Amino acid sequence: MGAPCQAERRKFRHSNRKEADLRLSNASLDRLPGHVRRPGYDRSRVASGIVHLGIGAFHRAHQAVVIDDLLTAGATDWGIVGASLRSSDTQDALAPQDCLYTVAIRSGAGTEHRIIGSVLQTEVARSNPAQLIARMADPATRIVSLTITEKGYCHTPQTGELDSNHPDIVHDLANPDAPRSAPGFIVAALARRRAAGVAPFTVLSCDNLSANGHTVKRILMQFAHLRSPELGTWIADRVACPSTMVDRIVPETTDADRAAVSSELGMTDAWPVITEPFTQWIVEDNFPGGRPDFARAGVQLVADVTPFEHMKLRLLNASHSALAYLGYLAGYETIAETMTDDRFAAFAHGVMNDAAVTLSMPEGTDLAGYSASLLERFANPALRHRTWQIAMDGSQKLPQRLLGTMQDRLRQGLPVDTHALAVAGWMRYVTGSDEKGQAIDVRDPIAAELAAIAKIAGPVAERLAPALLDVRTVFGEFGNDPRLRSAVTHALARLCELGARQAVQAWRPSLHQV
Ligand code: NAI
Ligand code: CS2
């Protein structure tokens, strides 16, 4: 359906402005402008088959779009019930809209608006935990998927093991029927299914974790074992947790986004999601209870996602984090803005090149082409992906994004100076004070611990770097490696001496290019 000419759009927007109190809903779908794509199926005939935990921006711009495509193609039993374990914000926004929302796909060529109907209902765990557990225990639920952020797994980032001292885990072991954590809810529902003789659902992590399927399975087994060894064994034997690689850049929605989308629709959408044209989903094909016909919607089904996951985490996410910390310190608000600085763009490319040599990809994989596409995506002028947003939860992200590459490079006798500058950027960032002495709003599960370490060490690289490298939950034993300590301390000293802009300006690519 072709986009209307500008004059028609202006006319449409004007005629609809007086209907500004109109709200996106089932009843108003036929009032949308003709160029806005809407669900091509009868939502009333769709049954839910998926419960998704973490109904945030990424799920709604990625997995829910795939399911919407499959519903359009005729599937009827893979609708989504979206749950939030933390707040009612998403439900408050979407319930009045019959859970309809807009995906605004932005690029330099313009914006495409698409209404998604695959989320059928929402749940707020804290207001009714029993209802969510019942949903997940219902035999019609065959997949429980997750985008709960790296910290939602209540694990130790460096090891991937359950953190049994995590406050939510301690609470959930004491209150198994009124859990707070994702592991708590999943195990409570699985226990209910086991007791009823119902086969388990498949657990599908869509978070940026290393080996996300294996990690979530380990965490579920360890949590369940603490409740009952028999339950832990049942989960180990019966529950499938395929790993996935997920990719679509989805910045946090702003009020300006809400206003722009609502103006385009001629009606209010309280929580649209903003994204890029690119999307990719690679999934291990291990769904004993059945799955949607993912391939029909362009999802790649593989036996082992590992190489693709490493490629994405170590090239895209690593350079994203590098740009986030050093770009923020240099005064850039968004990734696209940071990429307008050629030296930062070159540095991001250097991070990708240094990671590429650690990958074992299928024959014919074009890593140079993949890196080039990443640099283009990062430079998308239509996406305002804030460096501050990507800088969040760095203690949960560094191991799979930067440290794994550094360990592999050192094993190969290769320098790690490029990645050391990215780690130094994180260290400088978590001090909580920027290069002008202004406070940084550091969001991280261990932000207070990091700030305390920085305060004791003071603004001296030779003290701060070793102190942070001793944070075992992030660096583990690798933090003791003298080559790592030397490279990171040197990088931090340069960063503190020159400032981010000049330190990146002075950066040069690693000499040993394989
Ligand atoms: P968001 O902030 O929109 O949603 C995060 C969701 O996680 C919310 O529903 C929130 O309630 C839930 N959550 C947060 N902390 C939690 C906890 N401790 N326990 C349980 N649930 C918790 O963020 P968004 O953009 O949806 O990203 C979520 C995750 O999706 C990311 O952390 C990442 O793992 C993955 N992802 C995000 C991409 C993006 O560009 N935004 C792209 C690829 C993957
Ligand atoms: C970002 C990711 O916020 C972050 O940490 O690096 O969410 C990134 O946008 C996605 O992984 C892209 O697929």
Side-chain angles (χ1 to χ4, degrees), residues 58 62 150 208 245-251 276 278 280 312-313 316-321 324 377-378 385-387 389-392 397 401:
F58 176 60
H62 185 265
E150 296 85 346
N208 284 326
M245 184 271 253
V246 290
D247 187 4
R248 191 168 214 183
I249 293 175
V250 187
E276 61 173 336
F278 180 90
Q280 186 174 24
K312 195 262 180 172
L313 288 173
L316 187 158
N317 293 109
S319 49
H320 237 196
S321 290
R377 291 170 61 196
F378 288 176
H385 203 172
R386 294 172 66 195
T387 49
Q389 179 185 350
I390 297 166
M392 279 183 194
K397 297 177 178 180
R401 296 184 180 204

Side-chain angles (χ1 to χ4, degrees), residues 6-20:
Q6 288 307 321
E8 278 176 31
R9 275 195 173 173
R10 272 197 298 276
K11 183 178 65 178
F12 179 85
R13 277 196 198 123
H14 176 70
S15 67
N16 276 276
R17 196 162 291 141
K18 55 181 177 293
E19 296 181 24

